Amino acid sequence: MTTTITFPLSPAARKERATQEPAWVRWSLIGLALMFLTLFLFIPLISVFYEALKKGSDVYLAAITHPDALSAIKLTLTVAAIAVPLNLVFGVAAAWAIAKFEFRGKNLLITLIDLPFSVSPVVSGLIYVLVFGLQGWLGPWLAEHDLKIIFAVPGIVLATVFVTVPFIARELIPLMQAQGTEEEEAAVVLGASGWQTFYHVTLPNIKWGLLYGAILCNARAMGEFGAVSVVSGHIRGSTNTLPLHVEILYNEYNFAAAFAVASLLALLALVTLALKTLIEARNKQHQKQRGHE
Amino acid sequence: MSTFKQHSILPGFNLALGFTLLYLSLIVLIPLSAAFIRTAELTWLEFWTIVTTPRVMASYRLTFGASFAAALVNAVFGLLVAWVLVRYHFPGKKLVDALVDLPFALPTAVAGIALTALYAGNGWIGQFLEPMGFKVAFTPLGIFVALTFIGLPFVVRTVQPVLEDIESELEEAAATLGANRWQTFTRVIFPALFPALMTGFALAFARAIGEYGSVIFIAGNMPMISEITPLLIITKLEQYDYAGATALSVVMLVISFILLLIINLLQWWSRRRSIES
């Protein structure tokens, strides 16, 4: 026998569960959070585009097609095109060693990989000056052989590689740890070589994590300011990346042009966030599907 | 057989670990050691004199004070934002969630000039604050604003997953036992979130201490008043004072390493907490 017990609740109270706040609390908290985000996030983002276009599209186009701006774009793309693949290879190698094998000192190694994230960008640049600069360890030898690293493109690349070392590795390590080693072991037992195993078994499993890490790595590589600023020497048209070009224009009180170039970097940031969100949504869906199987 | 590595049939361990160690040494460890080795050329007294001059001490006070204040504001509002994003529904929530990471993706120089333009006397926000007596741009207050911006995602992103994982049964039990929502929050939910909150706070603080790009535009960079330690390193470098710049960067590195250790401990604590519950 089933009996229905009814409680004398008002309709409003019935809708409100015991584990939820009253509506006025909910909306006040939402309002407060959005106010904070508007003040510190949304308005700064909008203002970049507003300031960039304030003086009209002619000024905007002139600023981003100026030869100095174009050479800054070229250098920024070049630096990212070297730094991201290098850290990609590193990330895969580090994750393979750490996630697929058990060895002593593993936690120390993981901490060392994360180290560049906790070093101030300024210090990241300075240490390369100490190694390759004229006063540095290799400075005299480099000068003798007419090689220039500091205040030249190689220094910018090195500083950028340093600050972006952890991005791909720290994405792949937990992913590959979670996937375990059974699939790879099965492939090896069935006679696949190491490279075949990696290419046909591991890579398909980690490709989205790899892409995710590469996107974040790329955003930082293109946007790095402090470290690059120390080693660049700020030579217009030759060692100026986009963020450094923004600084130069800004310090010359050429605000419209500075914001125009900055808007390109802001667009890069938005594209990065969009791709990141898409990959996260895809992963979530994938996990759900796996859960249903 | 060495006991260094457990046996595995998978190939590539030596190659992968060898490459990882070589790369880390060349890119990270040897350059970092340069700072310590070059500083070791100084005597203890010389080192101490360089890193404790009044101008340097003023820069520490400013850097740590502003970073602490910014991390604190981010702890409070980061918790609020994480709460709202996990627990409530409102229009545009997905967009807001995605944009929280903007400070990670936006180059610091862009953030710096945008915040300066906003908070200057004639800027969108500055024009309202200045008549009330708040000068933000080109003062230490501006540094606080920039550091709040760049630290914003840390607390949100560390608290959010923990909040998502809290079992609703716990809260239901608390409600059944007669707790009101505020009691449930302070006695049940908040203690579960606390390790993650502390981790996020420490991450935001560590990031703020080293920050350079977003700060220098808005700071005004007046010695003794609004000059952060990373800027002082650059200033010394531009004056060819390599010993001074290196000594200061060693101080910064040691502080970063201590913070990294604390963060690792906090994360370990946070993980243990979530396993226990």
Side-chain angles (χ1 to χ4, degrees), chain A residues 21 40 87 104 120 128 276, chain B residues 23 27 88 101 149 181 210:
Chain A
E21 293 75 42
F40 279 96
N87 283 327
R104 267 201 254 168
S120 169
Y128 282 100
K276 183 174 168 292
Chain B
Y23 190 91
I27 299 286
Y88 303 147
D101 281 331
F149 175 84
R181 275 313 275 164

Side-chain angles (χ1 to χ4, degrees), chain B residues 80-108:
Chain B
L80 175 69
V81 170
W83 179 268
V84 164
L85 286 177
V86 172
R87 294 296 174 105
Y88 303 147
H89 292 280
F90 55 92
K93 182 171 130 168
K94 277 198 173 143
L95 185 69
V96 170
D97 196 357
L99 279 174
V100 163
D101 281 331
L102 183 73
F104 284 160
L106 193 70
T108 52

Side-chain angles (χ1 to χ4, degrees), chain A residues 231-253:
Chain A
V231 295
S232 118
H234 305 270
I235 306 158
R236 273 189 166 208
S238 100
T239 63
N240 238 357
T241 62
L242 272 178
L244 297 178
H245 193 54
V246 169
E247 185 199 18
I248 287 191
L249 291 170
Y250 190 86
N251 287 344
E252 287 171 346
Y253 300 102

Side-chain angles (χ1 to χ4, degrees), chain A residues 175 202-212 282:
Chain A
L175 181 68
T202 312
L203 198 56
N205 280 337
I206 61 167
K207 61 182 181 213
W208 290 101
L210 208 64
L211 185 64
Y212 189 90
R282 194 210 148 270

